[in-house]
Amino acid sequence: MSRLPDWVGRLGAGLTRLAARLEHEEAAARGDESGGGGAGRPPEPAGGPEPSPHRPEPPHKAHGAPRPEEPQKPPEGAEESEGPSVPAPPAYAPAVAPRPEPVDAVPWGVRVAAEAGWRLLVLAGTVYVLMQVISSIQLVVFSFTVALLITALLEPTVTRLRLRGVRRGLATTITFIGGFIIMGLVVWFVVWQVMENIDELSDKLQDGIDDLRRWLLHSPFHVTEKQINHIAKSLREAVGANTEEITSAGLEGVTVVVEVLTGILLTMFSTLFLLYDGPRIWRWTLGLVPAAARPGVAGAGPRAWATLTAYVRGTVIVALIDAIFIGVGLFFLDVPMAVPLAVFIFLFAFIPLVGAVVSGALAVMVALVTQGVFTAGMVLVVVLAVQQIEGHVLQPFILGRAVRVHPLAVVLSVAGGSLIGGIGGAVVAVPLVAVVNTAVGYLRSYSRESALRAASRPHGATIISAAPVRPPEPPGSPGEGGT
């Protein structure tokens, strides 16, 4: 038997070693997947694989090239742990802006209007509640307001008496009694003059109505006797239809008298204590104000009181001048009840603008009924002349800039005051507006000055900041008495 060639034997041995190596690597890969690493891998012999001349070396070992890595299989359960993947949007998709906040979506003007609107509603509700409270205690509020006006009129007299050395209690008593006696005499004089001349005025009024009837019959308006009688009959029927209301009003007169007397007593009582203990009452009221706003209110109060005092004093002087000049004119024109009409002009002067018109119209009507058209025209001229002098000379000179209020504000305040409180409301409306105007103006200026004082200091060095500061001396130095 012939021998096989040597290269065949070497080839078979190399194939055997290659098969063993592949099985070994497969076992190692299975060990890595199971987490055992190379624990189950059989150790190679110390000398390594037995070289065989019949096995060809792999290309990567023969030339020293690195061995290609085998792809590793991802561990089981990795895809389940990551969850479902969301695909990214395509590059051509348009960008969608996020929705803005609801507050940012509202226009700025609407937001400002809403902020101002609810504040105005709160303010209007507060004013409404305050008006309801005032209307429920109208008598007390009106009496105290009149007491403030009378106190503003009489307080300078108390101050003068105290400067002359009179004690406060005695000065208050003298001023209080003297002031109310003068006011009572004025009221008594008006009532007495009206009662003395009421009969003459009634006769003059009847004569004036007859003269008006004759003038209408012969006037170019072609008024007939039948039409005049029809008008007179309608007036009589209207009076008869309202007889029950007139009677009920007469029955309510007792209640009105009681309210008037109560109001007079409250006014006198309040005036007495305001004259005697006004500063202490003001300090107590100031204590009710919050501490943060107390300095501003403490400065606004005296200025508002000075405005009220100037208003009352100036109004009394202007009203007295109007009454004297118009009364003198009525006396020389031989108009009946010239003195009572002058007193009415004085009292109505406390209602700015409207009071002058009403009192002047009353004087013209009395002159028209009693003395005729010519005398009424002359009275109208006198009233207009005196009122023009009052508006352009007396008020600017006497009242000055302390109580300057715009005429529109005067008319609106008088109208509002008359609607709320009648004649009394019309009397106190304008001084109230003047006082509020002064107080608000001062508080605005005070807040502006406070803001400036609270601002940061001016930039740069000042005299105080640039002044040299002496450093403290150590203990035991000669400056402290040491040696």
Side-chain angles (χ1 to χ4, degrees):
M1 182 174 179
S2 59
R3 291 180 61 186
L4 294 174
D6 293 337
W7 62 272
V8 175
R10 289 193 300 271
L11 178 62
L15 292 175
T16 302
R17 287 192 299 269
L18 180 62
R21 187 178 181 84
L22 291 176
E23 290 178 359
H24 174 69
E25 291 177 356
E26 185 177 359
R30 284 196 299 268
D32 293 338
E33 292 178 1
S34 62
R41 181 175 177 180
E44 295 184 358
E50 183 180 338
S52 175
H54 304 286
R55 179 181 178 184
E57 293 293 334
H60 61 274
K61 286 190 175 183
H63 302 284
R67 179 183 173 183
E69 298 180 357
E70 295 181 3
Q72 295 183 358
K73 184 179 178 181
E76 298 179 1
E79 295 183 357
E80 291 78 9
S81 62
E82 294 180 359
S85 60
V86 180
Y92 60 83
V96 180
R99 290 185 178 181
E101 293 293 332
V103 177
D104 298 333
V106 180
W108 176 255
V110 177
R111 292 171 63 182
V112 173
E115 292 284 343
W118 73 261
R119 286 177 170 84
L120 290 176
L121 287 177
V122 172
L123 182 61
T126 304
V127 173
Y128 176 77
V129 173
L130 182 62
M131 289 294 102
Q132 292 297 320
V133 172
I134 291 176
S135 62
S136 61
I137 54 174
Q138 184 176 1
L139 180 62
V140 177
V141 174
F142 180 71
S143 301
F144 184 75
T145 306
V146 174
L148 282 176
L149 296 177
I150 298 175
T151 304
L153 178 64
L154 300 180
E155 194 268 340
T157 305
V158 176
T159 304
R160 293 190 187 96
L161 291 177
R162 293 202 62 192
L163 291 176
R164 293 178 179 272
V166 183
R167 298 180 60 182
R168 187 173 188 84
L170 183 59
T172 301
T173 304
I174 294 173
T175 306
F176 174 78
I177 295 176
F180 275 93
I181 286 177
I182 293 174
M183 288 185 286
L185 289 176
V186 170
V187 174
W188 170 80
F189 181 76
V190 171
V191 174
W192 172 60
Q193 287 292 316
V194 171
M195 296 302 295
E196 285 290 327
N197 296 274
I198 190 67
D199 295 333
E200 180 183 359
L201 183 62
S202 299
D203 297 336
K204 294 287 186 180
L205 180 61
Q206 185 63 39
D207 295 339
I209 293 174
D210 293 338
D211 293 339
L212 179 62
R213 180 178 180 179
R214 286 192 296 268
W215 181 79
L216 289 174
L217 290 175
H218 299 87
S219 67
F221 298 106
H222 305 289
V223 180
T224 62
E225 184 77 20
K226 183 177 180 180
Q227 291 174 340
I228 295 176
N229 293 333
H230 178 71
I231 293 174
K233 181 180 178 181
S234 299
L235 291 175
R236 285 193 298 269
E237 290 178 354
V239 173
N242 296 325
T243 303
E244 295 182 359
E245 297 181 1
I246 296 174
T247 304
S248 62
L251 293 177
E252 293 177 356
V254 179
T255 306
V256 173
V257 171
V258 172
E259 291 182 355
V260 169
L261 293 177
T262 304
I264 291 174
L265 292 177
L266 283 175
T267 302
M268 296 177 64
F269 189 78
S270 302
T271 303
L272 177 61
F273 280 94
L274 287 174
L275 286 173
Y276 179 75
D277 218 8
R280 186 180 302 176
I281 294 174
W282 167 244
R283 287 193 296 269
W284 177 83
T285 305
L286 196 62
L288 301 177
V289 180
R294 195 171 299 163
V297 177
R303 288 165 176 81
W305 180 253
T307 298
L308 182 62
T309 304
Y311 174 84
V312 175
R313 183 176 63 248
T315 303
V316 168
I317 295 174
V318 171
L320 186 61
I321 294 175
D322 288 351
I324 291 175
F325 280 94
I326 294 178
V328 170
L330 295 176
F331 177 77
F332 281 106
L333 291 173
D334 200 17
V335 177
M337 295 196 308
V339 177
L341 287 175
V343 175
F344 274 115
I345 291 171
F346 172 79
L347 296 178
F348 275 95
F350 285 91
I351 307 176
L353 297 181
V354 180
V357 174
V358 173
S359 59
L362 179 62
V364 172
M365 289 298 298
V366 172
L368 177 63
V369 171
T370 58
Q371 299 296 328
V373 178
F374 177 77
T375 305
M378 296 302 297
V379 171
L380 179 62
V381 170
V382 172
V383 170
L384 292 178
V386 172
Q387 289 181 358
Q388 290 298 316
I389 295 174
E390 169 200 342
H392 293 86
V393 178
L394 295 179
Q395 286 188 353
F397 179 74
I398 296 175
L399 297 179
R401 302 178 61 89
V403 290
R404 178 170 293 181
V405 181
H406 196 276
L408 179 60
V410 172
V411 173
L412 294 178
S413 59
V414 169
S418 61
L419 290 176
I420 295 173
I423 297 178
V427 171
V428 303
V430 177
L432 178 62
V433 171
V435 168
V436 171
N437 183 33
T438 301
V440 171
Y442 174 80
L443 291 176
R444 188 187 301 114
S445 302
Y446 178 80
S447 61
R448 190 183 303 114
E449 293 176 0
S450 299
L452 291 177
R453 286 194 298 266
S456 60
R457 294 182 178 179
H459 298 287
T462 60
I463 296 177
I464 298 178
S465 61
V469 179
R470 183 180 180 182
E473 297 181 356
S477 61
E480 293 185 1
T483 55

